[in-house]
Amino acid sequence: MKHLFTRGVLPLLLAAVALLTGCDQQKIAKLEEGVATEMDVMREFGTPLDIQRADDGTRVFEYTRQPEGSTNYYITIGPDGKMSGLRQVLHPAYFGKVQPGMSVAEVRKLLGQPAEKQAYQLKKEEVWDWRWLDGQTRKVFRVTYDFNGKVLNAASLDDPRDVYQGGGK
């Protein structure tokens, strides 16, 4: 299995992620806050995965690069139909807002779609992972929920795929 990752699949996967990241930067460069319209955003990024709506008419478009990418973009469209913000939410500043007792919906609204979800029936827990980059180091932000959908704990760790590949497991 290690041979497959080092000679074939993993290098191609990393190249695809690098290409996607480069494409995102080109798309972002074309969007100016206060000038770009909703249609400009959709022309560059496509149809959003989700749209959060506020009472004042503001909408937040979610664009994810999970499960293999390392970004989740939130693009804010003001009531005037113009882009008023673009942020990448897979970052320690956002991870620090995740607290025990928060609901699944609150975390999902904060961080966007996770890369993976895994339920552990015997422990009565569910674990969500988001892949992100800390400089050039691939990381995972992991949130553990109880079966009532409340956060038990959260932590960042090295991407297990890199640990297993490097450790020969």
Side-chain angles (χ1 to χ4, degrees), residues 3-153:
H3 176 74
L4 177 67
F5 280 108
T6 57
R7 290 214 174 156
V9 176
L10 188 59
L12 290 175
L13 189 59
L14 292 175
V17 169
L19 182 61
L20 186 60
T21 302
C23 290
D24 281 347
Q25 293 308 313
Q26 291 174 354
K27 292 174 184 180
I28 290 168
K30 294 178 182 178
L31 301 174
E32 184 179 342
E33 287 184 20
V35 176
T37 66
E38 174 181 342
M39 293 310 298
D40 295 331
V41 169
M42 291 181 76
R43 186 177 310 109
E44 294 303 322
F45 280 88
T47 303
L49 173 70
D50 190 31
I51 301 173
Q52 300 173 26
R53 299 174 193 280
D55 291 338
D56 69 355
T58 300
R59 290 165 296 141
V60 178
F61 291 5
E62 178 185 339
Y63 293 97
T64 185
R65 298 303 184 239
Q66 302 289 301
E68 295 303 327
S70 57
T71 55
N72 278 354
Y73 295 107
Y74 279 6
I75 301 177
T76 304
I77 307 295
D80 62 355
K82 296 198 176 168
M83 184 182 86
S84 61
L86 187 153
R87 56 196 160 110
Q88 199 292 93
V89 297
L90 299 184
H91 185 274
Y94 292 94
F95 302 150
K97 296 178 182 182
V98 176
Q99 299 297 316
M102 288 178 75
S103 70
V104 166
E106 290 171 313
V107 175
R108 176 68 174 76
K109 185 175 180 178
L110 181 67
L111 300 178
Q113 178 177 304
E116 295 180 41
K117 297 178 186 179
Q118 180 71 41
Y120 297 95
Q121 296 294 332
L122 294 176
K123 293 175 78 174
K124 296 187 179 359
E125 294 177 350
E126 186 170 9
V127 175
W128 290 16
D129 287 346
W130 288 262
R131 290 193 169 80
W132 65 288
L133 288 176
D134 184 8
Q136 295 299 313
T137 305
R138 293 187 322 167
K139 298 276 197 174
V140 168
F141 182 69
R142 178 167 289 166
V143 177
T144 303
Y145 302 94
D146 63 23
F147 268 13
N148 293 318
K150 299 295 182 183
V151 172
L152 294 172
N153 58 59

